[in-house]
Amino acid sequence: MGVLLAAALLSTEAHAAEQKPDAVHWPHRVEARLTGVKVIDKRMRDLMVSSPAMGISIPVRVILPASWSENPRATYPVVYMFHGGDDDYTSWTRETDVEALAKNADALIVMPDAGRNGYYSDWFAGNPRWETFHTHELVRLMEKKFRASRTRAVVGLSMGGFGALNYAAHNRGMFRYVASMSSYVDLNDPAVRLELALGTGKEGIDIKDVWGDPVKNADVWRAHNPAAVPGAFRGTQVHLSAGTSEPGPLDKGRASGVLLASVLGEAPLSGQMDRFARSLRSQGVDVTTHLYTPGTHSWPYWQAELHDIWPSVMKSIGR
């Protein structure tokens, strides 16, 4: 997952920057197009989606509903699942048994790519435009081509959990349920600022490209800071989870450098989550938390958490 305070999890999107679209000529009204479908198995598909907002094609993995073939006119609720930094759209099916969990689920499971470190944001510099792709283009495409209904939940981990929260806050009513696992939730936290500086410095990218200058463009930073807008989550069920960073049995056999990164990466998160949960409750938001020990910034804990929340995810979308 990276080293040096898990900086790789927070580093700025490098490969997307190589194919940045022209921000001035971005075609706002042009819809995304499905340009390719690869059959992985009976219910799993890998899609290629041409995105006007991004100016490139983005891969998206989909698990079809259990009754997809039997009910060709039915529409289905959607669970969006967002990957973490330094990873891609294959991570949930590669690292967890989400496909088995969804075996009997009459819901679309949609796992889009988000760049290895794209911050789930429309960048201040003008590109990339991940949020527009995910919350506008992809949502409309799933409704048009895959019979998606307007009932949605979203689950994200690490950088993806941060993205899930921001998307829910920016698009009130879009998601009935949002789960954020091991994500930073307060951009004003000194530990987060340090990790952002280390991560972007490692990649040779200026964090100002993402959200502008933290002082001059404080309003942009605030708009992308979940902790600053607790009231925006009213009407959405929120679940927050993180470990204490203490290694446990699930960490056995891991290389020392990888373990150190996962310990440091998780260390500041449970405190942020706890403060954020209290702030949400003060605003009348329906929020649950799971702050567990032991628990590091790693897949075995996220796999366990996915199993714990799956019934709530399904209940939230009526399944």
Side-chain angles (χ1 to χ4, degrees):
M1 298 298 295
V3 294
L4 191 57
L5 289 177
L9 294 171
L10 301 167
S11 59
T12 307
E13 169 61 303
H15 73 265
E18 297 172 0
Q19 305 183 65
K20 290 182 178 180
D22 186 334
V24 175
H25 297 100
W26 175 56
H28 296 266
R29 298 181 180 180
V30 179
E31 293 188 351
R33 294 183 299 110
L34 183 63
T35 58
V37 180
K38 180 180 179 181
V39 177
I40 306 300
D41 58 32
K42 183 178 180 180
R43 289 176 54 197
M44 190 184 298
R45 306 287 187 269
D46 276 359
L47 317 179
M48 287 302 296
V49 179
S50 177
S51 164
M54 294 291 294
I56 56 176
S57 291
I58 308 296
V60 179
R61 179 160 287 184
V62 174
I63 300 173
L64 299 174
S67 68
W68 176 260
S69 299
E70 291 74 19
N71 296 305
R73 295 184 179 179
T75 59
Y76 297 92
V78 189
V79 179
Y80 287 91
M81 302 186 72
F82 295 156
H83 66 78
D86 221 23
D87 218 324
D88 62 27
Y89 71 104
T90 67
S91 65
W92 283 104
T93 54
R94 185 185 69 239
E95 302 288 351
T96 77
D97 61 350
V98 64
E99 191 174 14
L101 276 175
K103 180 179 180 181
N104 299 315
D106 253 345
L108 281 163
I109 313 299
V110 180
M111 298 161 281
D113 202 73
R116 293 183 66 83
N117 291 286
Y119 291 101
Y120 290 85
S121 298
D122 285 359
W123 283 23
F124 185 80
N127 48 71
R129 296 178 179 271
W130 288 109
E131 181 168 1
T132 296
F133 171 65
H134 290 139
T135 63
H136 295 280
E137 294 179 344
L138 184 59
V139 166
R140 285 197 286 267
L141 182 72
M142 297 311 299
E143 291 173 351
K144 185 175 180 180
K145 297 294 186 181
F146 284 85
R147 294 184 268 142
S149 74
R150 295 188 177 183
T151 300
R152 312 176 191 94
V154 60
V155 176
L157 62 86
S158 193
M159 183 185 74
F162 171 78
L165 290 169
N166 268 323
Y167 288 0
H170 296 171
N171 301 275
R172 294 185 66 174
M174 177 171 282
F175 304 105
R176 293 187 177 184
Y177 179 99
V178 53
S180 178
M181 305 179 189
S182 297
S183 72
Y184 43 94
V185 297
D186 187 359
L187 294 181
N188 290 327
D189 187 294
V192 174
R193 291 294 180 99
L194 175 60
E195 291 192 359
L196 287 171
L198 291 170
T200 54
K202 177 178 178 289
E203 295 294 333
I205 302 296
D206 192 338
I207 189 61
K208 295 177 184 178
D209 285 344
V210 184
W211 301 306
D213 184 273
V215 177
K216 294 180 180 179
N217 306 111
D219 57 331
V220 180
W221 280 71
R222 184 180 186 279
H224 290 86
N225 185 6
V229 289
F233 294 91
R234 294 192 193 100
T236 301
Q237 185 180 352
V238 178
H239 179 76
L240 306 171
S241 63
T244 60
S245 81
E246 179 185 347
L250 295 180
D251 295 290
K252 286 183 177 179
R254 302 175 68 203
S256 58
V258 174
L259 178 58
L260 176 61
S262 65
V263 167
L264 294 174
E266 196 78 357
L269 302 182
S270 61
Q272 288 184 45
M273 290 282 195
D274 183 53
R275 291 189 295 273
F276 184 42
R278 285 187 272 114
S279 180
L280 289 171
R281 292 188 183 104
S282 74
Q283 295 293 318
V285 178
D286 180 5
V287 59
T288 57
T289 60
H290 184 204
L291 306 178
Y292 49 87
T293 187
T296 62
H297 205 78
S298 54
W299 277 105
Y301 298 97
W302 299 328
Q303 154 85 354
E305 187 67 15
L306 182 62
H307 275 255
D308 286 347
I309 68 171
W310 193 255
S312 296
V313 175
M314 291 294 104
K315 183 178 179 181
S316 75
I317 58 172
R319 290 297 186 261

